[in-house]
Amino acid sequence: MIFINVQVKEVKAVNETNNIIRLHVIANSDSNLDQALKLKVRDEILNNLEILKYLRNNDIAQNYILKNIPSLEEKCEAVIIENGFNYPIKINLTASSFPTKVYYQKVLPAGEYKAVKAVIGKGEGKNWWCVLYPPLCHIDWFKEKENYNILKEEAISVMAPVAENKNNLIANYKKILLNVWF
């Protein structure tokens, strides 16, 4: 017996990248220990920047981040040391390149975004990213922490443009998820 479930969801592509602040955490290496440490540092950053979801605009969010980078670095260094490592960490607010990413009903196109960039040690490992402002990271993070069954990796996703706004601000896409159970 085979069950097939097809879902069609409307997804919006957003090109207003000036109002978005992303998070980019880069591990020291690809070793399992360094990757686990990266996630603990990510958690520390998200815990300390959770306030961003209550701020009114991007400028206020950026000012808050800039003001708190030294404290954030100290807290992340403590996490690194607590876990038995002596890697340095460098955190800054900078422009970074990101690939296209789907966050629920929004598609962020590939490009340069302002980002809180946290580089652990040599920064030669796999990275983790999300959107800090507006606060989409916390949605991903809470779902991950609560072990929600998100089918992003198991599902077959097909992105097909169905309409494009003349102002190039928002393009509509349909996301088709095909799940097959045996």
Side-chain angles (χ1 to χ4, degrees), residues 6-151:
V6 177
Q7 302 172 5
V8 178
K9 293 184 178 182
E10 193 71 22
V11 179
K12 301 230 183 225
V14 178
N15 258 349
E16 298 176 22
T17 60
N18 291 338
N19 293 321
I20 294 172
I21 302 171
R22 298 184 79 168
L23 173 61
H24 192 194
V25 183
I26 305 168
N28 179 64
S29 76
D30 285 337
S31 76
N32 290 338
L33 290 174
D34 283 349
Q35 288 298 309
L37 178 64
K38 171 190 71 181
L39 297 178
K40 290 179 181 182
V41 168
R42 172 212 55 195
D43 290 350
E44 186 66 26
I45 293 169
L46 291 176
N47 279 329
N48 283 276
L49 294 180
E50 188 173 4
I51 193 170
L52 294 181
K53 67 184 178 184
Y54 302 109
L55 300 182
R56 290 188 314 262
N57 65 50
N58 183 280
D59 291 334
I60 294 170
Q62 283 187 62
N63 288 334
Y64 180 85
I65 291 165
L66 288 169
K67 179 181 171 187
N68 287 283
I69 284 176
S71 170
L72 194 55
E73 281 182 337
E74 286 178 21
K75 291 174 182 177
C76 289
E77 284 174 3
V79 167
I80 292 168
I81 291 167
E82 286 170 13
N83 284 278
F85 297 91
N86 63 357
Y87 302 138
I89 184 164
K90 182 64 183 156
I91 300 175
N92 57 33
L93 183 61
T94 185
S96 289
S97 293
F98 289 88
T100 299
K101 177 82 170 142
V102 177
Y103 291 98
Y104 307 100
Q105 302 301 315
K106 300 216 183 280
V107 175
L108 292 177
E112 289 276 316
Y113 291 83
K114 288 179 188 154
V116 172
K117 187 172 186 176
V119 179
I120 304 166
K122 295 177 185 173
E124 295 175 350
K126 292 177 185 161
N127 60 55
W128 189 90
W129 61 77
C130 66
V131 178
L132 277 173
Y133 189 86
L136 298 177
C137 278
H138 290 91
I139 295 168
D140 275 346
W141 183 53
F142 288 129
K143 285 190 176 191
E144 183 179 306
K145 289 181 101 37
E146 295 171 11
N147 293 320
Y148 278 66
N149 184 15
I150 299 172
L151 299 174

